[in-house]
Amino acid sequence: MRKALRKAFPDHWSFLLGEIAMYSFLIIVLTGVYLTLFFVPSMNEVVYDGSYGPLRGVRMSEAYASTLHITFDVRGGLLMRQIHHWSTNIFLAAIVIHLLRNFFTGAFRKPRELNWLIGIVLFMLVMVNGLFGYSLPDDLLSGTGLRILEGVIASIPVVGSYALMFLFGGEFPGTEIIPRLYVIHILLIPGILLALIPLHAVVLTWRQTHTQFPGKGSTNTTVRGYPFFPVFIAKTTAFFLWVFAATALLATFFQINPIWLFGPYDPGAISSGSQPDWYMGWLEGSLRMMPAWEINAWGHTVPMSVLIPALGVPGVLFTGLAVYPFLERWVTGDNRVHHLLDRPRDVPARTGIGAGGVVFYGVLWAGGGNDVIADHFDIPLFWTTWFFRFAIVLGPILAYIAAYRICLGLQRRDLGLARHGLETGVIRRLPNGEYIEVEVPLGEERLAPVTDARPPAAVALERPDTEGVTAPAARTRLGRLRIALNRRFLRDLGSPPTPESADKHKAIGP
């Protein structure tokens, strides 16, 4: 216990991104428990006779009527609904930013591959649970989302119709989907999350050395930070209160999901400019920008315009995230344990890949609002659609090139600071008539992240041929591909420079 309480935690702000996700989940659970006391997960029709006048006398499901009751008649109900909804958005945003931080710094490397995979599973589960959660009120907007889900399931060859009948309990919309989503949303997925989040955030991280950025006193075998008790426990408690305060502030002053304006779900109606929550926008965008392709064979139709964006794109994205740590290890030949993080600028190839992935996701997300963009800027809808079709291909390539060049520029800047010091703008004339700019050498603390030794991010796999004999690693196509990728990854890898002597600075004065 004494050893656990003295465990060192790094002090960098980026280590608290995962804390935001964990605290948001706690807020979601607490507010969700409150909402379950009043929500009725039933699709039985009733006539609304509550406080909201514009819908009084309208036929609707009990689920929608109970949501209106929570909103207008339960003390604090609207605030709890909005805190619950905002927490979900913050939860997923924190997961995405935490994932990007781990990717760009190489925190997924040995021995943390398992934790990375658990994080990907958590991301998928939370995204699906968010979709099911905002489908429960059975309003027009959420019903439109369920209609899209129904179309995606129906498009799956062979088993689609069977899966559809099993999920909805009959023809869409049926009478069973809300109760089933309710059980999944409050019981099944939260139960899995309650098992995986402590494993991801506490058990595995506690058994391993914390990752940290290069710097003075930070090595691959030591951690520079503060003890869990009393410093980190006080800091993290205060941070939880800040997260809760920010969420409550958003819920109080910024309206979200006003289901009373949408009305009850009607399969024959759809509202203009319908948009899902941000974390589902990228799937909406992939559906909107996909051409109307289909395959007709042997009396069957396979709608590629639905299968590719709804199943293919998420499959590529999440599978790529899951296998990347193992793919990078195969390319780099790096099997060492890493507790010291990479600065993104020092690994331009990985940073470029990450930037391309961010742009790919961002273009899909923006494409989900192509109709809103066309309306606000008064341009044809087809222009925005074709723009996003080109951007989804060219955007990641351009992002890779731009990020790679930025990394090289930052590396050269660090090299100049290490060798010459910081420019002051002061010009001096030497006795021989030469004009120079006075440069101030940086201290050890500021130079340490640049100059301190650290394990390289990759090792060279290529071995030169011996007396005309081809190296074993290059005798197969796969081996030649691996060597080519390894050569590309190694190119422009940042390495710690050696600061030159500061005698010149001392000679001319500060």
Side-chain angles (χ1 to χ4, degrees), residues 4-12 16 19 23 206 224-240:
L5 293 177
R6 299 297 296 174
K7 184 177 177 65
F9 281 76
D11 198 37
H12 196 272
L16 296 175
E19 306 281 324
Y23 297 146
W206 208 277
R224 182 187 183 187
Y226 294 101
F228 174 74
F229 182 85
V231 179
F232 183 78
I233 190 66
K235 181 190 298 185
T236 196
T237 302
F239 196 53
F240 166 71

Side-chain angles (χ1 to χ4, degrees), residues 382-426:
F382 290 105
W383 289 12
T384 62
T385 302
W386 276 102
F387 170 80
F388 287 120
R389 287 175 179 173
F390 280 102
I392 198 66
V393 177
L394 299 177
I397 298 173
L398 296 176
Y400 176 89
I401 296 172
Y404 199 99
R405 299 301 303 175
I406 291 172
C407 288
L408 295 185
L410 292 173
Q411 285 185 25
R412 292 188 175 96
R413 177 179 178 273
D414 287 344
L415 185 62
L417 289 174
R419 290 181 174 176
H420 304 294
L422 188 67
E423 297 175 351
T424 63
V426 178

Side-chain angles (χ1 to χ4, degrees), residues 77-334:
L78 178 59
L79 180 63
M80 289 296 106
R81 277 193 61 239
Q82 299 218 142
I83 289 178
H84 190 74
H85 206 120
W86 272 115
S87 295
T88 302
N89 281 277
I90 295 172
F91 187 21
L92 277 152
I95 289 176
V96 171
I97 299 174
H98 180 60
L99 181 148
L100 291 176
R101 176 259 178 193
N102 287 344
F103 180 88
F104 283 111
T105 60
F108 53 79
R109 293 173 295 180
K110 186 178 180 180
R112 295 175 180 83
E113 299 93 339
L114 177 60
N115 222 14
W116 172 265
L117 293 176
I118 293 174
I120 301 301
V121 173
L122 287 172
F123 185 22
M124 292 188 292
L125 287 174
V126 174
M127 187 178 297
V128 171
N129 211 35
L131 169 64
F132 291 169
Y134 78 68
S135 299
L136 289 178
D138 198 32
D139 59 280
L140 184 57
L141 180 62
S142 66
T144 302
L146 279 180
R147 186 63 167 176
I148 296 174
L149 176 64
E150 181 262 349
V152 170
I153 296 174
S155 69
I156 302 174
V158 183
V159 301
S161 58
Y162 298 99
L164 187 64
M165 297 294 288
F166 174 78
L167 179 62
F168 285 87
E171 294 290 340
F172 180 86
T175 58
E176 303 294 332
I177 185 62
I178 295 299
R180 291 178 179 181
L181 291 184
Y182 181 73
V183 172
I184 295 173
H185 179 71
I186 72 162
L187 184 62
L188 180 60
I189 294 182
I192 299 174
L193 294 178
L194 285 172
L196 290 181
I197 288 178
L199 178 64
H200 175 78
V202 179
V203 177
L204 291 178
T205 56
W206 208 277
R207 291 180 59 86
Q208 298 166 348
T209 302
H210 282 294
T211 56
Q212 58 186 337
F213 286 99
K216 188 175 181 181
S218 300
T219 68
N220 206 42
T221 56
T222 59
V223 177
R224 182 187 183 187
Y226 294 101
F228 174 74
F229 182 85
V231 179
F232 183 78
I233 190 66
K235 181 190 298 185
T236 196
T237 302
F239 196 53
F240 166 71
L241 297 176
W242 275 107
V243 170
F244 180 77
T247 307
L249 187 69
L250 287 170
T252 302
F253 294 103
F254 297 91
Q255 179 175 274
I256 190 170
N257 198 29
I259 54 104
W260 57 91
L261 299 180
F262 306 145
Y265 178 62
D266 178 1
I270 184 172
S271 57
S272 175
S274 298
Q275 300 291 311
D277 276 358
W278 76 268
Y279 51 87
M280 298 302 297
W282 64 286
L283 287 173
E284 178 86 1
S286 65
L287 285 166
R288 293 190 182 198
M289 69 178 66
M290 181 68 190
W293 294 346
E294 62 183 28
I295 298 174
N296 294 287
W298 300 291
H300 296 278
T301 300
V302 181
M304 305 306 294
S305 58
V306 178
L307 280 177
I308 291 178
L311 299 180
V313 172
V316 169
L317 180 64
F318 288 112
T319 302
L321 286 172
V323 303
Y324 184 84
F326 309 98
L327 180 62
E328 182 177 298
R329 182 191 294 185
W330 179 73
V331 169
T332 61
D334 181 17

